[in-house]
Amino acid sequence: MPSTYITKAGQTVDLVCRDFYGRTRSTTEIVLDANPGIGALGPVLPIGTALVLPDIDTRPAARELVKLWE
């Protein structure tokens, strides 16, 4: 279930992602998509802006193992 986040002074979408999800990689774009028109507010969001933060799996992605010698 998505969460609602209310911005504080000086926050940008990527700072909200870092604070909420613990990272910005692969989260900022998802949050921007979930909040159409948020880019029109400018890079620094107004205090009190409500953002929808979707449920995102924040576990590290599994890495493919590479064998140097077989």
Side-chain angles (χ1 to χ4, degrees):
M1 177 174 209
S3 299
T4 301
Y5 183 93
I6 306 300
T7 59
K8 300 170 187 81
Q11 285 190 308
T12 59
V13 173
D14 58 333
L15 289 177
V16 170
C17 291
R18 188 194 67 198
D19 292 346
F20 189 81
Y21 298 112
R23 69 173 198 235
T24 58
R25 185 176 182 179
S26 302
T27 59
T28 304
E29 296 83 2
I30 294 170
V31 171
L32 288 170
D33 287 343
N35 294 277
I38 200 74
L41 298 177
V44 177
L45 300 170
I47 297 170
T49 302
L51 294 176
V52 174
L53 299 179
D55 291 332
I56 298 173
D57 186 4
T58 56
R59 293 177 289 170
R63 293 179 145 191
E64 182 180 336
L65 296 177
V66 177
K67 293 180 182 181
L68 298 178
W69 296 276
E70 290 193 37

